[in-house]
Amino acid sequence: MDRNTFTGLFLIMIVLAGSFYFFKPSEAEMKKERERISLDSAMKAGTKPAAPANLPAAAPVVDSLALKGPFGTNISGTATTSVLENSALKLTFSNKGGKIKSVEVKSEKSYIGKPVVLFDGDDNKFGLSLNIGGKMIRTDDLYFTATQTGNSMVMRANYSADKYIEFVYGLNAADAHDVSFNINLNGMNQVIERDSIALNWETVLLQQEKSLQAEQQYSAPYYKYVDQNPDHLSFAKDESQELNKAKIEWIAFKQHFFSAVLIPADPFIKGNVNVKILTAPGEIKGYTANVNLPFNQLAVQNYKMKFYFGTNQFAVLKKQGQELEKLVEMGYWPLKYINRFVVLPVFNFLEGFGWNYGLIILVLTIALKLVLSPLTYKSYISMAKMRILKPEMDEIKAKVGEDNATLLQQEYLKLYKQVGVNPLGGCLPMLLQLPIVMAFFFFFPNLFELRGQSFLWMHDLSTYDDFIKFGFTVPFIGDHLSLMCVLMTISTLIYTYFNNQVSGATGQMKYIGYIMPIVFLGVLNKYPAGLNYYYFLANMMTFGQQYLIKSMVNDEKIHNILKENKKKPEEQKKKSKFQTRLDDYMRQQQQVKTQEKKNK
C-alpha cells in the first residue's frame, strides 16, 4: 500500500469516527424510538399498548382534507379509461380530469385507412380553473370517480363529503353526433372565491387528409357572438383573439373536414381563443380556448352545454342549428351566395340520383354551361365583330401612327360608333361568368361529399391525384404532378389558342393568354382533383360551344351588317348605353381640345 492510499483511508476513518460521535442520538430520542418499537410489537401481537406516560391519553383526529388540501383524495390516483359509443361516435373518457380523452368519428377513415380520431393523448386538455383559498385548482389535474349508466357518464371529484364537482356526459341518440355535457357544482359556493370560473379547452389536431398543407390551409378556430355571423382566426399564421365584444354563442375547433364544437345553453360571458401551426409529424395545429362562466355563489350551480363532434358536411351542420353550417367556407361575397343558393342546391339535387361524383360534376358542368350559353354566344359575336373590324383598325393605325395614342383612340371610338360595336361586348359576358368560375375555387376544396370518392384514376376527388411522384420537391410545382391538372392546363392552352383566333388578339395580349395557364399549373397542382376536373370539363365545353357557334355564324353576314350600320344616318342609329357614354366621352375630349387651343 503506497503513502497516498494509506493517507486517504486514515482520513476516511477519522471522518466516520467523528460522525458517530457528533450525530449520536440523544437520550430523549432513544427513549422515543424504544416506545415506537414497543407500540409496533404490541399491534402485531394483537394487544393494545399502554399509553406512554409523557403522551396525552387521546390524540386529536386529523381530517385528510387538512393534510392534503382541497380535493385531497383526488390529487393522486391511477389513470383509467371508459367508453361511450353509438353508431356515429366512440368517446373514450379519462378519469384524470374527468374529460373526453379522444373522439373517433365512426364510418370515416383517414387517408392511410385508420379511424378518424379528432384528438387524443395528453395534449388534449379540458376542465375548470377554480380559485379556492387563494390557490388556483385545475380539475384537469384531478382524478375523478367515473360512473357509467347506459349512455351516460358521470365524473365526480369530491372536495369533501358534501361538496363536489360533477361532469355529466350523455349520448342520447343512436346516431347522434352531439354529446350533452353538464357541469354540476354542489356546495362549492362555500369554498370558491370570485364571481366567475374559467373553462379551459386545449387540443392538437391530428392529420386526417393526404395533403398536410391543404389541411392546415382550411383549419382554424371559429367562434360566434350572439346575433352576429361566425368568425374565425387566421388560417395561415399563429394568432390569439380576445372574445369580449359580446356574449359567445359557440366555439369550434374546425379541421378541414371535421369539427369539434362547444355550445353552451347560456352564452359564455367572454373568453379568448388561440391557434398555433405545428411542425411535428402528424400534427396540424394546436388550439386553445378559455371562457368565463358566471358563478352566482349558489349552493347548487349547473352549466348546461353540448358538444358536436363530426363532419363538416353542410346539411349535417345546418341541422344542428345556430349557423354551424357557416363552418363550411363558401368564399367571399358574392361567391358564397352563388355557392350556397345556386351551386349547392343543384349539386344536392344531382346527388339524389345516387350517381358517381365524377358523373355528378360532369352533369353539373353541363347544366351551368347551358344556363350561361347566351352569354357565351354574345361574347363570341362581339369578338367576331372586333376581328372583322381589325383590317379597318389597322388602316387607321397606319394613317394616324402609333405615337399619338390619344388621337388613335379617338379614331377607334369613332369607328365603333359608326358600325355600332361595343369593344367591351366580348369581355362583359366573360366577366359575368367569372364569379361562377371563382365560386368553384371555394366550393370543391371544402365539399365534404367528395372526400374519399374515386373517379377514373383519381382515388380521392377531395385532394390532388399524384399521378407522378417525384420523390423530391420541384420549385413552383411541388413533389408530384397531378394528371388532371396537366389535362386542365392543356385544355386551357387549346381554348386560348382558338379564342385568339376568334378575337384576333395580337401582341402582348396574345401571349399573356398562354402564360396564365402555366401559372395556374403550379397553383392548382396541389388543389383537389375534383376542382381541376371541373375546370377541364368547363374548358372543353366552352371550346365545343364556340365551335358550334362558329359553324352557325357567318362572318360575311356580320361584316355586311357592320357596313349597313356605317351607312345609316346618325339619327337612325339606335344608341346603346355604351354608345351614349362614348358620345359623352368624345364631347368631353373635344371640349378639352378646344380649351387647350384657347389657352394657347
Side-chain angles (χ1 to χ4, degrees):
M1 182 183 298
D2 60 15
R3 178 185 296 180
N4 291 335
T5 303
F6 176 82
T7 303
L9 290 173
F10 181 75
L11 291 175
I12 291 172
M13 292 176 64
I14 293 175
V15 171
L16 290 173
S19 299
F20 282 119
Y21 179 81
F22 289 107
F23 294 99
K24 182 177 71 175
S26 65
E27 192 64 27
E29 289 174 333
M30 293 175 67
K31 182 179 179 181
K32 187 174 180 181
E33 181 62 17
R34 284 194 296 270
E35 290 172 350
R36 186 189 68 78
I37 295 172
S38 175
L39 179 64
D40 289 344
S41 300
M43 292 180 67
K44 290 179 181 178
T47 60
K48 184 178 179 180
N54 62 337
L55 290 179
V61 178
V62 179
D63 190 348
S64 62
L65 181 63
L67 286 174
K68 295 186 178 182
F71 300 100
T73 58
N74 298 97
I75 291 176
S76 61
T78 302
T80 59
T81 59
S82 309
V83 174
L84 284 183
E85 60 182 315
N86 60 11
S87 61
L89 298 173
K90 180 181 179 181
L91 309 176
T92 302
F93 295 85
S94 173
N95 68 323
K96 186 177 182 183
K99 65 192 177 187
I100 300 175
K101 183 176 183 291
S102 70
V103 175
E104 177 186 332
V105 181
K106 291 185 175 181
S107 76
E108 300 296 337
K109 299 293 182 182
S110 69
Y111 75 104
I112 56 175
K114 292 186 176 181
V116 169
V117 177
L118 300 188
F119 50 81
D120 192 12
D122 296 333
D123 292 326
N124 171 42
K125 301 181 185 300
F126 185 87
L128 302 174
S129 294
L130 310 172
N131 192 317
I132 299 178
K135 183 180 179 181
M136 195 60 66
I137 303 296
R138 288 173 51 90
T139 62
D140 202 59
D141 298 326
L142 302 179
Y143 289 84
F144 285 62
T145 300
T147 304
Q148 182 175 350
T149 305
N151 286 328
S152 176
M153 181 70 67
V154 179
M155 294 284 185
R156 178 181 289 191
N158 292 317
Y159 182 88
S160 62
D162 60 344
K163 301 178 182 65
Y164 59 83
I165 294 174
E166 201 171 60
F167 295 161
V168 183
Y169 304 87
L171 269 174
N172 300 320
D175 58 350
H177 282 274
D178 53 313
V179 180
S180 63
F181 172 59
N182 296 334
I183 300 174
N184 301 324
L185 304 180
N186 190 81
M188 297 301 293
N189 59 313
Q190 300 177 29
V191 293
I192 294 178
E193 302 173 7
R194 300 182 184 176
D195 58 356
S196 68
I197 58 178
L199 176 62
N200 170 260
W201 185 18
E202 299 179 30
T203 193
V204 170
L205 301 186
L206 305 176
Q207 184 178 358
Q208 311 295 345
E209 312 306 326
K210 181 178 180 178
S211 174
L212 177 67
Q213 182 181 1
E215 199 164 4
Q216 288 182 332
Q217 181 180 347
Y218 296 106
S219 301
Y222 277 65
Y223 58 89
K224 183 184 183 302
Y225 289 124
V226 175
D227 298 327
Q228 295 186 32
N229 287 322
D231 203 352
H232 58 80
L233 270 63
S234 173
F235 288 101
K237 62 181 181 180
D238 298 351
E239 187 180 10
S240 297
Q241 178 70 50
E242 292 293 328
L243 306 182
N244 50 20
K245 294 181 180 178
K247 290 186 176 181
I248 307 160
E249 192 169 331
W250 50 257
I251 292 176
F253 287 177
K254 186 211 170 187
Q255 206 159 339
H256 188 179
F257 288 121
F258 302 92
S259 285
V261 189
L262 179 59
I263 309 168
D266 297 316
F268 299 128
I269 302 172
K270 61 180 180 179
N272 61 74
V273 287
N274 174 275
V275 58
K276 184 176 182 180
I277 299 174
L278 303 178
T279 57
E283 296 182 353
I284 303 299
K285 290 182 179 180
Y287 293 163
T288 303
N290 296 286
V291 294
N292 281 24
L293 305 175
F295 187 67
N296 301 323
Q297 295 295 331
L298 299 176
V300 178
Q301 183 126 14
N302 307 106
Y303 305 93
K304 293 185 177 182
M305 310 177 200
K306 74 172 183 177
F307 287 100
Y308 168 81
F309 299 118
T311 65
N312 292 333
Q313 191 171 359
F314 190 90
V316 174
L317 291 171
K318 189 173 177 61
K319 287 181 181 178
Q320 292 290 326
Q322 296 178 269
E323 298 185 276
L324 284 185
E325 70 275 8
K326 292 186 178 179
L327 287 172
V328 182
E329 282 294 321
M330 291 287 186
Y332 308 106
W333 185 93
L335 306 182
K336 61 181 177 182
Y337 297 108
I338 295 172
N339 279 328
R340 182 168 181 178
F341 299 111
V342 178
V343 180
L344 186 60
V346 175
F347 184 89
N348 289 338
F349 172 75
L350 296 174
E351 191 180 20
F353 291 99
W355 297 336
N356 178 279
Y357 281 92
L359 181 59
I360 290 175
I361 295 174
L362 172 62
V363 176
L364 176 65
T365 310
I366 293 173
L368 289 174
K369 282 298 179 181
L370 288 175
V371 172
L372 297 173
S373 57
L375 293 176
T376 305
Y377 177 80
K378 188 174 182 180
S379 176
Y380 181 91
I381 295 299
S382 296
M383 288 190 293
K385 289 179 179 179
M386 293 298 295
R387 185 185 70 249
I388 292 169
L389 283 178
K390 192 175 184 305
E392 295 185 47
M393 295 174 67
D394 290 340
E395 290 178 8
I396 293 173
K397 183 187 287 188
K399 182 179 178 181
V400 175
E402 297 183 14
D403 296 335
N404 195 338
T406 303
L407 181 58
L408 180 62
Q409 192 63 31
Q410 288 178 353
E411 293 298 322
Y412 282 164
L413 293 175
K414 285 181 182 179
L415 177 62
Y416 299 150
K417 180 181 177 182
Q418 290 172 354
V419 298
V421 169
N422 182 353
L424 300 178
C427 299
L428 289 175
M430 295 178 66
L431 289 175
L432 291 174
Q433 296 182 62
L434 186 59
I436 296 178
V437 175
M438 294 300 298
F440 280 100
F441 193 78
F442 290 91
F443 182 74
F444 284 114
N446 290 289
L447 190 62
F448 175 83
E449 285 80 352
L450 296 184
R451 186 178 187 272
Q453 299 296 325
S454 62
F455 181 67
L456 300 177
W457 67 87
M458 298 168 284
H459 299 297
D460 188 345
L461 290 170
S462 70
T463 188
Y464 56 81
D465 61 304
D466 46 356
F467 191 78
I468 299 177
K469 299 179 182 179
F470 299 137
F472 52 89
T473 301
V474 177
F476 183 66
I477 295 295
D479 61 356
H480 69 277
L481 195 60
S482 167
L483 177 58
M484 186 51 72
C485 186
V486 171
L487 293 176
M488 182 276 299
T489 303
I490 293 172
S491 69
T492 306
L493 291 170
I494 294 173
Y495 168 73
T496 302
Y497 172 78
F498 283 99
N499 198 51
N500 286 340
Q501 300 301 312
V502 174
S503 64
T506 57
Q508 292 182 348
M509 291 302 298
K510 180 178 180 180
Y511 295 105
I512 288 176
Y514 292 112
I515 295 173
M516 292 306 297
I518 304 301
V519 172
F520 279 113
L521 172 65
V523 174
L524 296 176
N525 187 54
K526 61 180 179 293
Y527 272 76
L531 178 65
N532 284 311
Y533 174 52
Y534 162 75
Y535 285 148
F536 167 74
L537 291 175
N539 286 339
M540 298 307 294
M541 289 180 191
T542 302
F543 171 68
Q545 282 180 322
Q546 290 190 350
Y547 182 81
L548 181 62
I549 294 170
K550 183 178 180 180
S551 65
M552 297 167 56
V553 173
N554 189 322
D555 284 4
E556 185 176 348
K557 186 176 179 180
I558 294 176
H559 196 189
N560 291 334
I561 293 173
L562 296 181
K563 288 179 179 179
E564 291 297 324
N565 287 341
K566 200 171 184 181
K567 293 176 182 179
K568 288 181 181 179
E570 190 68 26
E571 59 273 8
Q572 293 183 8
K573 294 180 181 178
K574 183 179 178 181
K575 293 184 179 181
S576 64
K577 291 182 180 180
F578 170 77
Q579 289 171 335
T580 303
R581 290 193 296 268
L582 180 58
D583 288 343
D584 293 339
Y585 172 78
M586 294 185 69
R587 279 195 296 269
Q588 291 173 5
Q589 291 295 315
Q590 189 62 39
Q591 289 174 0
V592 170
K593 292 179 67 176
T594 304
Q595 187 64 39
E596 288 176 352
K597 289 180 179 180
K598 288 181 179 180
N599 293 337
K600 290 180 180 179

